[in-house]
Amino acid sequence: MEKLLDLISKEVMDAFEKAGYKREAGRVSVSNRPDLCEYQCNGAMALAKECKCAPINIANAVSDALKESRVFESVEAVMPGFINMNLSPAFLADYVVKMSESDKFGIDLPKSETIIVDYGGPNVAKALHVGHLRPAIIGESIKRILKFMGHKVIGDVHMGDWGTPMGLVMTELRERKPDLPYFDESYTGEYPKEPPFTVADLEEIYPTASAKSKEDPDYKARALEATLKLQNGVRGYRALWDHIMNVSVNDMKRIYEKLNVEFDLWNGESTVQYLIPDMVKEMKESGVAYESDGAIVIDVKKDTDTKEIPPCIVVKSDGASLYNTTDLATIKERVIKYDPDQMIYITDKRQDLYFEQVFRAALKAGLVSDKVTLSHIGFGTMNGKDGKPFKTRDGGVMRLEYLIKDIQDKMYEKIKENKNIDDVEARKTADIVGLSALLYGDLSNQAVKDYVFDVDRFISFEGNTGPYILYTIVRIKSIISKYKEQGGDLSTLKIGTPVNASQKDLMKVLASLSQTMEGAAAELAPHRVCAFIYDLANAFNSFYHETKILSEENEARKGEFIALINFTKNVLEACIDMLGFEAPERM
Ligand code: ARG
């Protein structure tokens, strides 16, 4: 379906043409004076200069040409030459009915693409912490938005699973249990199926090892050696690495699940190591990469750059590959395996320059064609109320699991406070609503901006929050179930022409859905979906407060109200699903 604003603009453009003016002037926008009108066109003012006539004359002629239009209820030319318009309620109702009867609410879907979203990006062997919240939930929402728009989307967690942290863990393990067969290079038997540590061990081992290596150069050297052994495929080290991966990945899955975050691929830096030697060789042979101070680099600066873009280092001077190398090889692998139209990376915005270098190097080396869009969504920092990066009360880094639990516990207290509700149900509801508070609190901010993590605000049932949105959905559900209890049948209902201003407003917000979705998908911007559902929830609540719905005596009209709020609920539910949460039955 065509977007509502486009339909309206077309109507006004036709009128400009009919009145003898050029159509381009007829572009309409939503009124910035909603007290005066719903839509406005300022084209007459711009035209007046060109055709040297009074803008009000043009506006009058256009208004006359719109007299018979079925799109508008009223059209008025006002000094010095504005055209103010109000939409015809019947036209609006028609539009919303069509939306409600169409697949995907009548949104025109773009050509379907294959899109890889690279998000999450945790480093293995460390517990997930608050820093892992944003990449996970922003990426998940972008993935869901693109899926909704009909794309084939592949989410890759892309773990950091190949560097020194691995060598550190192995070294510390060796200190503690030197007799394990993994460290015996003459051992040829099978290695144990059971890992020689638990997640809890692992989480303690890594920081210990990391601290030791900072103090003890000898320890550090052993850790580097262990890393090298792993990378060279020494059997025992590979077996140990498999254990580390299994234990960490299972734990990560458990926590991501609490956030409703799910990946299609559990790949990481290790996945593409097999591609690196040939890739580097080809880069050198083609001359794209060259030696500089012992390292292998690709120049990526352009004449048009306004800031310094340093070369992309492909191999370090000691011969080791690095973050860049695996990212380049990953691009190569993705092109071979999935032939994607787009690759989208979600990380902290401090990696902006890094990705710019990698993207340019990949293109220059021919790993990817210029038909493939590579983009980096860099997000800002989650701050505490003091405006500094979020910390625990004692200044530490909070584990992601505790952050989630904390907000769900607070939600539970709140739910228990208000109602006499069974404990098990209160817990279940608190988990769902608490998650909405966390996700919405984050996603409602433009990703690139820093924001303040304010639990008390996030869990509020009022204002621009997840719980407010859910409360609205639950309210609609409850009206609908009462309607059904009274013998109402939803399947025969149809949305009707609005009978009051708040009903019309609600329909106007609904009609702007395709505009919102188009923008959200193009800009990869979940916050636009949040802004839309906040408007929609507000519009519904105004309608609800100003209109007797269930007690409406005219049965036909009551049915039209129910059809409208049911459609509102469907749209809200589809939108929160794109943000990664759902609504409970009651709250
Ligand atoms: N592990 C990286 C980090 O902790 C993030 C990975 C992002 N994805 C990528 N393909 N580089 O910063």
Side-chain angles (χ1 to χ4, degrees):
M1 283 170 69
E2 207 157 350
K3 292 197 289 288
L4 183 67
L5 203 57
D6 289 347
L7 278 178
I8 299 173
S9 284
K10 230 186 217 169
E11 187 76 1
V12 178
M13 286 167 140
D14 285 349
F16 268 79
E17 210 164 43
K18 210 167 132 197
Y21 301 103
K22 63 172 190 198
R23 26 183 324 111
E24 294 73 57
R27 192 76 225 168
V28 171
S29 55
V30 174
S31 164
N32 54 17
R33 286 287 305 273
D35 53 322
L36 296 180
C37 60
E38 295 170 339
Y39 298 91
Q40 67 187 52
C41 171
N42 305 339
M45 255 82 73
L47 260 187
K49 289 199 192 83
E50 272 176 45
C51 52
K52 298 199 178 61
C53 54
I56 190 68
N57 293 345
I58 304 175
N60 274 324
V62 172
S63 306
D64 279 346
L66 284 169
K67 278 269 139 34
E68 302 298 311
S69 165
R70 55 175 204 104
V71 174
F72 301 109
E73 172 178 57
S74 66
V75 180
E76 198 189 2
V78 291
M79 285 303 269
F82 296 108
I83 305 170
N84 293 350
M85 292 154 283
N86 288 319
L87 212 53
S88 142
F91 174 80
L92 177 61
D94 256 5
Y95 188 86
V96 177
V97 167
K98 267 199 210 101
M99 281 177 77
S100 72
E101 289 170 349
S102 310
D103 190 31
K104 302 262 179 181
F105 311 119
I107 297 168
D108 280 338
L109 301 182
K111 185 176 139 287
S112 175
E113 299 189 339
T114 299
I115 303 175
I116 296 178
V117 185
D118 178 314
Y119 67 108
N123 294 331
V124 169
K126 285 191 254 182
L128 292 182
H129 57 76
V130 287
H132 294 110
L133 178 72
R134 302 209 76 194
I137 67 179
I138 295 170
E140 180 70 19
S141 177
I142 288 177
K143 183 183 80 182
R144 289 170 181 235
I145 289 171
L146 294 171
K147 271 197 183 158
F148 178 86
M149 296 301 276
H151 298 295
K152 178 174 176 234
V153 195
I154 304 166
D156 179 7
V157 67
H158 203 85
M159 292 172 282
D161 58 359
W162 202 240
T164 353
M166 292 295 175
L168 283 168
V169 171
M170 292 182 184
T171 304
E172 184 56 24
L173 217 58
R174 187 168 190 167
E175 297 270 302
R176 295 182 189 187
K177 300 181 177 175
D179 296 333
L180 285 174
Y182 308 95
F183 305 117
D184 175 1
E185 291 189 21
S186 62
Y187 183 79
T188 52
E190 282 215 10
Y191 293 109
K193 292 259 175 300
E194 283 303 306
F197 43 73
T198 62
V199 209
D201 296 336
L202 214 52
E203 281 164 4
E204 175 265 325
I205 288 174
Y206 176 73
T208 308
S210 166
K212 279 191 189 171
S213 83
K214 280 183 193 125
E215 266 157 31
D216 179 355
D218 194 49
Y219 189 95
K220 189 174 174 180
R222 271 180 284 146
L224 285 177
E225 198 189 308
T227 312
L228 215 64
K229 281 190 177 153
L230 166 70
Q231 300 191 344
N232 291 334
V234 172
R235 213 175 137 255
Y237 285 76
R238 285 306 295 246
L240 204 47
W241 180 80
D242 284 338
H243 283 313
I244 300 179
M245 289 303 288
N246 277 335
V247 169
S248 315
V249 166
N250 279 334
D251 199 55
M252 284 180 195
K253 284 190 178 159
R254 182 178 68 82
I255 294 162
Y256 281 133
E257 199 180 325
K258 291 181 194 284
L259 291 172
N260 280 348
V261 169
E262 212 181 327
F263 299 96
D264 304 290
L265 299 177
W266 280 83
N267 289 347
E269 293 172 5
S270 69
T271 313
V272 292
Q273 295 303 316
Y274 73 100
L275 284 171
I276 291 178
D278 282 349
M279 180 185 81
V280 174
K281 195 166 145 244
E282 282 160 23
M283 284 172 171
K284 282 200 285 196
E285 279 169 6
S286 69
V288 170
Y290 65 93
E291 206 180 305
S292 163
D293 291 334
I296 310 287
V297 305
I298 300 181
D299 273 336
V300 291
K301 63 170 188 284
K302 291 181 188 162
D303 295 342
T304 47
D305 288 341
T306 51
K307 60 174 193 274
E308 176 76 14
I309 312 273
C312 179
I313 303 172
V314 183
V315 181
K316 286 198 287 189
S317 53
D318 63 3
S321 62
L322 64 175
Y323 190 43
N324 311 25
T325 330
T326 43
D327 264 324
L328 288 169
T330 303
I331 291 178
K332 187 179 167 111
E333 188 188 57
R334 287 174 181 164
V335 169
I336 297 169
K337 279 202 171 156
Y338 307 104
D339 188 23
D341 301 284
Q342 288 194 51
M343 292 182 225
I344 299 167
Y345 296 76
I346 323 283
T347 78
D348 188 300
K349 66 183 170 199
R350 280 170 293 191
Q351 294 192 31
D352 271 348
L353 172 65
Y354 166 75
F355 278 106
E356 186 62 43
Q357 289 173 297
V358 169
F359 294 165
R360 288 187 187 189
L363 198 64
K364 193 165 172 185
L367 303 177
V368 63
S369 91
D370 60 1
K371 304 258 180 320
V372 180
T373 312
L374 300 170
S375 37
H376 176 233
I377 303 294
F379 54 80
T381 311
M382 173 172 132
N383 288 326
K385 279 191 182 162
D386 57 0
K388 300 202 187 95
F390 187 87
K391 287 271 178 332
T392 54
R393 225 165 276 165
D394 54 13
V397 179
M398 190 187 258
R399 287 174 63 155
L400 185 51
E401 188 173 5
Y402 298 160
L403 181 86
I404 302 168
K405 186 170 173 341
D406 193 49
I407 201 162
Q408 287 172 331
D409 284 350
K410 289 212 168 80
M411 205 66 227
Y412 171 80
E413 297 300 326
K414 206 172 163 120
I415 288 174
K416 287 298 266 187
E417 199 176 273
N418 293 341
K419 278 198 199 100
N420 196 4
I421 170 175
D422 157 87
D423 227 41
V424 177
E425 187 179 346
R427 266 287 160 211
K428 221 176 114 200
T429 307
D431 284 357
I432 298 176
V433 184
L435 181 61
S436 83
L438 181 63
L439 300 192
Y440 193 94
D442 189 300
L443 297 172
S444 54
N445 302 285
Q446 197 182 346
V448 70
K449 294 201 176 129
D450 298 347
Y451 77 98
V452 174
F453 187 82
D454 182 348
V455 184
D456 298 322
R457 187 173 75 74
F458 292 178
I459 63 172
S460 168
F461 288 120
E462 280 139 50
N464 191 7
T465 69
Y468 169 68
I469 305 292
L470 295 192
Y471 197 78
T472 305
I473 296 175
V474 167
R475 175 175 273 168
I476 301 179
K477 282 188 182 180
S478 127
I479 301 172
I480 290 175
S481 60
K482 283 200 192 107
Y483 180 75
K484 284 184 184 156
E485 275 163 31
Q486 293 168 4
D489 173 11
L490 247 59
S491 66
T492 56
L493 300 182
K494 201 171 154 185
I495 294 167
T497 304
V499 296
N500 62 36
S502 60
Q503 190 185 6
K504 192 179 181 193
D505 280 341
L506 174 57
M507 289 165 89
K508 273 192 296 182
V509 178
L510 284 165
S512 70
L513 174 68
S514 56
Q515 180 111 355
T516 300
M517 285 315 302
E518 212 178 85
E523 294 161 25
L524 306 173
H527 74 279
R528 304 221 10 195
V529 178
C530 293
F532 171 79
I533 54 176
Y534 183 50
D535 281 351
L536 186 55
N538 282 336
F540 164 77
N541 284 310
S542 304
F543 170 64
Y544 169 81
H545 288 300
E546 286 164 25
T547 316
K548 291 197 178 77
I549 300 177
L550 284 172
S551 55
E552 168 62 50
E553 280 159 16
N554 179 333
E555 273 305 316
R557 179 172 287 182
K558 189 203 282 189
E560 291 174 359
F561 289 162
I562 297 290
L564 178 63
I565 68 171
N566 188 45
F567 180 53
T568 304
K569 175 183 77 84
N570 293 345
V571 170
L572 284 171
E573 284 184 325
C575 289
I576 60 171
D577 185 60
M578 286 185 249
L579 300 173
F581 56 93
E582 58 190 355
E585 281 314 306
R586 275 184 296 270
M587 64 192 267

